[in-house]
Amino acid sequence: MAKKGSVDPGADPHLAREQEKYGNPVPSREYILEQLEAAARPLARKELAELFGLTDEDALEGLRRRLRAMERDGQLVRNRRNGYVVVDNEELVRGRVRSGPEGWGVLRPDLPGDTVFLSPREMRNLLHGDRAVVRITGVDRQGRPEGEVVEVLERANRSIAGRYFEESGVGFLVPDNKRLHQDVIIPPDNRGDAQDGDLVVVEVLSQPSKRRQPIGRVTEVVGRHIPEGSEIDVAARVHGIPVEWPKEVEQEAVAFGEEVPEAAKQGRKDLRKLPLVTIDGPDARDFDDAVYCEPTENGWKLLVAIADVAHYVTPGSPLDTEGAERGNSVYFPRSVVPMLPEELSNGLCSLNPKVDRLCMVCEMQINREGKVRRSRFYDAVMRSHARLTYDEVKAIHIDRDPEVRRRYRGILKYIDHLFSLYRVLRKDRDRRGAIDFETTETEIEFDSDGQIAAIHPTERHDAHKLIEECMVRANVAAARFLERKRVPALYRVHEPPAEERLDNLRQFLAQVGLRLEGGDSPEPKHYAALMQRVRSRPDRHLIETVLLRSMMAAEYRPDNAGHFGLALDAYTHFTSPIRRYPDLVVHRAIKHVINGGKPADFGYSNDYLVTLGEHCSMTDRRAEEASRDAEMTLKCRYMAERVGQEFNGVISGVTSFGLFVELEGIYVDGLIHITNLESDFFHFDPVGHRLTGERTGKEYRLTDRIRVLVARVDIDERKIDFQPVAHPLGPDGEPLEGGGTRSSKRRQEQGKGGKSAKSGRRRRRPGRRRGDGDS
């Protein structure tokens, strides 16, 4: 029974979870936060101990450690009187920092809310990617919340790659990652063998503060230039992606062996005779998912079997800790940095053909309109009957290739069943108004020496879309199951476009005689309807590009806010636990329920999931940036042999400093600096996505076709400079009447050695913060 003036410890809704974890449990984080909010004032540790009736020395020590951990994670901060204050209120916000041009930054809150502007002064003791708690101090000129740093929770940059320079006897590193706005001071004793201009990796010994820059030590000298074959390794280092496995992680992975033990198969549904198949790209090595479909009286039964990674990777294990830190696998041209060691990702967890594998199955009953009427989840053991590629599936069903059909004659009818189901799923997708943007993805083809032989677009046909629809339905079923059972987990959330983006979009559409329906809150179907209306217009690609750029980025959060792009009210990631950590968390949540667990007893608190979701959203963005950098380095090597050649291209980006152009047929981007355009003063219209000459009226717009000359390639900086030759171009790729440019005439006079818009990065003295205008 609780003492007078205290609360009842038994009222803690997460008491059972705490008792399972600890022999002598203290109040849960949720209960501490609840009581602090109820008190409506800061409480010191002694006051909290009295409130919870804690007198035992072990309990008091447990409370001290819990409060310290909550401080470390940003749930609480202490005021000057050592009273604890709850974060994530109207005044205090926690989140991750992103650097902007000119040294300023923004804090993206962990919980839904407005980003907080951080002045260059506040950014002095922060680097891009750090996590912090800030206090809202007012609003800036643009009406955004403005804040000051209260506490730095987590440092994101333990090592940094970049160029080492010396000036006046002072060594410093200029980070290769353009979002890192501060140089790192390198004391003489810490420079190692680095020479002026070398590309190096530096360990950060002292993080920045308001009074000084970060200080580091050179741990590796890469060399003057990025060596051929090391593009991927350098990109991983620049973006802080772990590539080495801790010894204890390797030992744990190897200890599982190569085959599923018989004991692990017990108590599971046996699906080994069911012709489940995997369908992936030709280079795939980790097979997360397998599918099977059969017709029923009222529609179809679809089974989506997913690798049971949760059986092997348990919470708190070395494998789990490393997987959570990595967040996801990172896919590069020719290689992958996996989230889990290859013994699991390519071996024991991968649904390889003709071997027994553990899986979790989402079984769905789908009617003839493509609606999922019932779904259930269960653990199973399976044996993949075939490892198929997308092209093989296309050859089987669409092309009716006799040789391929003969090779897979035992599963032909099941492939046909899948396509029958796909057609109704596709109609349902169109009915609900899911948005389909036709973006072009490329594939790099390498020769025997590892050099780029060609760059070509990947063909996305109905076999790709079939698997995509099956995975979407399984992800939706998982999200609705978790929501129905009220168990905490991570959802894949895609918010509707922000008000400012919608305003800019509507202004642009008005300029081209179009309108987005839906008032202040357009729905996905309004986007889909607009895209259908412009499908036959010559400026279709311009409009689709602007529509795409009005979208928000998807992220992982424990609160279900739906998925705007897919037009779904609930969505999560369930189908790829080998390569995405959020999927693994979802599997654990589902297992907790189907094994009889109560929602309050699940091992993840809402606050932990908030932090984990933000971390996984960050690693998702980090992987994309690193992959793009590695690919761009390879493309620069490819283009270095083509300096002086002319290509047709499309304007893929318009900025105040110039035009980005993607070359047709080889899908390589480069920059035409504004100084290389006609002798005119150009006005930048961010809404209309164009540059307009003040004197000539000449316009350069997004998606315009243009002919350019490759003027300069800098492999280390991953930059390609173009000079304009002719604009605009007609449908046949030839210049329209009057389509020449003055800069092309200058080029002809100067020859192929025309002056480049960029001559390389200038060395800067320590203390100068770098802008980010051309990233």
Side-chain angles (χ1 to χ4, degrees):
M1 184 175 178
K3 294 181 179 179
K4 186 177 181 180
S6 65
V7 296
D8 182 7
D12 187 343
H14 300 280
L15 179 61
R17 184 190 72 198
E18 298 298 316
Q19 288 174 331
E20 187 177 332
K21 285 185 175 181
Y22 309 105
N24 189 18
V26 296
S28 67
R29 293 188 180 206
E30 295 94 333
Y31 200 43
I32 292 172
L33 293 172
E34 180 184 318
Q35 296 307 317
L36 278 170
E37 289 173 348
R41 67 181 180 88
L43 296 177
R45 175 156 50 97
K46 183 179 179 181
E47 293 176 294
L48 284 168
E50 292 174 354
L51 178 68
F52 294 120
L54 303 179
T55 56
D56 180 78
E57 286 297 322
D58 289 342
L60 291 173
E61 175 62 15
L63 178 64
R64 184 190 71 82
R65 291 183 178 182
R66 172 141 293 174
L67 292 172
R68 290 291 298 274
M70 293 176 74
E71 277 190 90
R72 183 188 65 240
D73 293 342
Q75 292 177 276
L76 301 175
V77 294
R78 268 187 291 179
N79 63 17
R80 294 179 181 178
R81 297 183 179 181
N82 281 325
Y84 286 96
V85 180
V86 178
V87 179
D88 293 329
N89 54 38
E90 292 183 359
E91 182 183 353
L92 295 173
V93 181
R94 61 179 166 151
R96 194 172 296 275
V97 173
R98 291 180 67 83
S99 296
E102 311 304 329
W104 54 263
V106 294
L107 180 130
R108 298 180 59 169
D110 289 347
L111 296 178
D114 295 332
T115 57
V116 181
F117 177 78
L118 299 174
S119 68
R121 179 178 179 181
E122 292 299 322
M123 287 294 292
R124 286 178 187 169
N125 64 339
L126 293 167
L127 290 174
H128 175 73
D130 289 347
R131 285 177 48 77
V133 174
V134 302
R135 178 181 291 108
I136 305 298
T137 58
V139 295
D140 65 6
R141 298 175 188 173
Q142 300 179 29
R144 298 176 298 182
E146 190 168 10
E148 65 179 8
V149 178
V150 173
E151 188 174 346
V152 180
L153 301 174
E154 174 191 321
R155 295 292 189 175
N157 302 279
R158 303 295 179 185
S159 65
I160 300 174
R163 291 280 168 188
Y164 173 80
F165 294 117
E166 287 185 10
E167 286 189 7
S168 303
V170 178
F172 59 99
L173 175 93
V174 178
D176 196 56
N177 186 339
K178 297 176 178 60
R179 288 193 177 275
L180 296 178
H181 61 286
Q182 297 193 54
D183 296 340
V184 182
I185 302 299
I186 310 295
D189 293 343
N190 291 348
R191 59 172 283 185
D193 297 327
Q195 301 296 315
D196 188 63
D198 278 349
L199 179 62
V200 301
V201 179
V202 165
E203 176 189 4
V204 180
L205 302 175
S206 179
Q207 296 286 344
S209 70
K210 288 189 176 181
R211 295 178 180 82
R212 70 164 198 280
Q213 294 172 251
I215 298 173
R217 175 176 64 89
V218 174
T219 57
E220 181 182 352
V221 178
V222 178
R224 237 26 204 184
H225 303 287
I226 299 176
E228 285 193 34
S230 66
E231 299 88 356
I232 291 166
D233 185 53
V234 170
R237 291 174 182 274
V238 166
H239 292 276
I241 293 171
V243 293
E244 303 293 334
W245 296 107
K247 186 176 180 180
E248 61 272 19
V249 173
E250 290 183 323
Q251 290 174 340
E252 186 181 4
V254 170
F256 287 115
E258 297 181 0
E259 297 182 359
V260 179
E262 288 301 316
K265 303 174 188 177
Q266 304 306 309
R268 292 171 173 263
K269 188 166 184 176
D270 192 342
L271 300 179
R272 284 175 285 190
K273 292 184 179 180
L274 200 70
L276 286 151
V277 298
T278 62
I279 304 175
D280 295 272
D283 299 325
R285 295 292 179 270
D286 50 350
F287 307 123
D288 288 282
D289 53 86
V291 291
Y292 166 82
C293 178
E294 66 180 42
T296 64
E297 184 179 351
N298 299 312
W300 291 267
K301 180 170 78 172
L302 173 66
L303 270 64
V304 176
I306 306 299
D308 192 357
V309 179
H311 176 82
Y312 302 99
V313 182
T314 55
S317 65
L319 275 168
D320 182 56
T321 301
E322 184 68 15
E325 175 64 24
R326 295 185 178 216
N328 48 258
S329 298
V330 185
Y331 292 88
F332 293 106
R334 293 185 297 177
S335 70
V336 59
V337 178
M339 184 181 81
L340 299 171
E342 290 187 5
E343 288 83 1
L344 292 181
S345 60
N346 293 3
L348 198 56
C349 288
S350 182
L351 305 182
N352 298 326
K354 313 301 182 184
V355 292
D356 289 357
R357 287 291 183 259
L358 305 183
C359 62
M360 177 178 280
V361 176
C362 175
E363 181 180 310
M364 292 166 277
Q365 300 291 335
I366 302 174
N367 68 15
R368 298 187 186 281
E369 285 71 48
K371 302 289 185 183
V372 177
R373 290 307 180 194
R374 291 194 307 276
S375 64
R376 64 177 180 139
F377 293 85
Y378 51 84
D379 291 327
V381 56
M382 63 161 285
R383 179 179 285 241
S384 171
H385 283 224
R387 180 269 195 263
L388 300 170
T389 67
Y390 295 114
D391 288 343
E392 285 176 328
V393 172
K394 177 176 178 288
I396 289 171
H397 182 82
I398 300 172
D399 302 335
R400 317 299 286 187
D401 185 302
E403 182 180 341
V404 180
R405 288 178 66 83
R406 185 166 51 253
R407 191 187 319 154
Y408 294 109
R409 57 183 175 273
I411 58 172
L412 294 181
K413 69 176 182 178
Y414 303 108
I415 299 298
D416 291 341
H417 293 336
L418 282 167
F419 272 95
S420 297
L421 173 61
Y422 162 67
R423 283 186 276 273
V424 299
L425 293 180
R426 185 69 197 187
K427 288 179 182 177
D428 180 65
R429 178 191 180 100
D430 294 339
R431 272 195 301 269
R432 72 173 188 265
I435 304 171
D436 277 325
F437 289 107
E438 294 186 7
T439 56
T440 301
E441 295 185 6
T442 60
E443 182 180 11
I444 298 178
E445 181 183 333
F446 295 93
D447 60 23
S448 57
D449 296 325
Q451 303 299 312
I452 294 181
I455 303 170
H456 46 78
T458 56
E459 182 189 1
R460 188 170 177 272
H461 45 67
D462 279 354
H464 296 84
K465 297 175 184 178
L466 181 157
I467 290 300
E468 179 184 302
E469 283 301 315
C470 292
M471 298 306 112
V472 166
R473 301 303 161 133
N475 287 334
V476 172
R480 290 178 175 165
F481 177 85
L482 296 172
E483 198 170 38
R484 189 167 64 250
K485 300 298 183 179
R486 300 179 184 275
V487 62
L490 286 175
Y491 294 89
R492 184 64 169 173
V493 173
H494 186 221
E495 295 273 19
E499 183 179 347
E500 182 181 357
R501 294 190 182 205
L502 275 177
D503 288 343
N504 290 338
L505 173 61
R506 286 203 163 94
Q507 289 179 51
F508 165 77
L509 292 174
Q511 293 179 8
V512 293
L514 292 169
R515 182 183 173 202
L516 178 67
E517 301 294 336
D520 294 335
S521 302
E523 298 176 20
K525 64 182 180 182
H526 298 126
Y527 271 79
L530 178 58
M531 291 175 62
Q532 189 63 37
R533 287 203 303 274
V534 304
R535 214 157 278 272
S536 60
R537 286 179 54 138
D539 57 356
R540 163 194 168 190
H541 292 295
L542 166 63
I543 296 166
E544 286 191 345
T545 300
V546 176
L547 284 170
L548 177 61
R549 293 181 182 181
S550 73
M551 293 286 159
M552 306 292 285
E555 56 189 0
Y556 295 105
R557 298 205 316 240
D559 61 302
N560 174 32
H563 197 291
F564 184 82
L566 292 173
L568 294 167
D569 56 10
Y571 194 67
T572 190
H573 274 168
F574 160 78
T575 56
S576 296
I578 290 177
R579 59 185 179 90
R580 291 189 306 229
Y581 192 81
D583 301 54
L584 176 56
V585 174
V586 167
H587 276 237
R588 288 172 178 166
I590 293 174
K591 280 178 175 288
H592 179 76
V593 174
I594 63 179
N595 290 330
K598 296 179 180 179
D601 301 338
F602 186 47
Y604 295 95
S605 68
N606 184 77
D607 192 83
Y608 175 78
L609 289 172
V610 167
T611 305
L612 178 63
E614 192 285 326
H615 170 76
C616 292
S617 298
M618 179 276 293
T619 61
D620 191 30
R621 292 190 298 269
R622 180 179 70 180
E624 187 177 338
E625 291 170 359
S627 181
R628 187 168 56 240
D629 275 3
E631 188 172 302
M632 191 60 192
T633 303
L634 290 167
K635 287 181 176 180
C636 283
R637 289 198 189 281
Y638 181 69
M639 294 305 296
E641 300 176 1
R642 289 157 177 79
V643 173
Q645 296 181 20
E646 294 182 4
F647 297 89
N648 289 347
V650 175
I651 296 176
S652 58
V654 182
T655 71
S656 60
F657 54 84
L659 308 168
F660 285 97
V661 176
E662 182 184 87
L663 302 185
E664 293 179 353
I666 50 180
Y667 307 96
V668 172
D669 284 282
L671 175 70
I672 302 175
H673 197 271
I674 199 166
T675 56
N676 270 356
L677 298 178
E678 287 87 349
S679 299
D680 201 347
F681 182 82
F682 281 85
H683 294 277
F684 172 51
D685 176 7
V687 174
H689 299 271
R690 61 189 169 197
L691 289 174
T692 306
E694 184 176 279
R695 180 177 54 81
T696 62
K698 173 83 172 180
E699 278 192 353
Y700 291 92
R701 295 202 317 165
L702 194 69
T703 73
D704 277 359
R705 299 185 73 200
I706 185 171
R707 181 170 296 165
V708 298
L709 173 132
V710 182
R712 177 179 173 270
V713 176
D714 188 325
I715 297 172
D716 295 328
E717 294 287 329
R718 295 182 294 276
K719 291 177 180 176
I720 301 173
D721 289 333
F722 296 145
Q723 288 182 353
V725 175
H727 171 271
L729 303 182
D732 59 355
E734 293 301 316
L736 297 176
E737 187 175 349
T741 67
R742 295 193 178 188
S743 56
S744 68
K745 295 175 183 176
R746 289 199 306 269
R747 177 194 58 77
Q748 291 168 2
E749 293 170 1
Q750 295 169 352
K752 293 183 179 180
K755 185 178 178 181
S756 169
K758 290 185 179 288
S759 56
R761 178 179 290 163
R762 293 176 57 194
R763 300 184 184 182
R764 300 187 315 287
R765 296 182 183 279
R768 280 189 65 189
R769 284 188 292 275
R770 180 166 48 135
D772 191 32
D774 59 348
S775 68

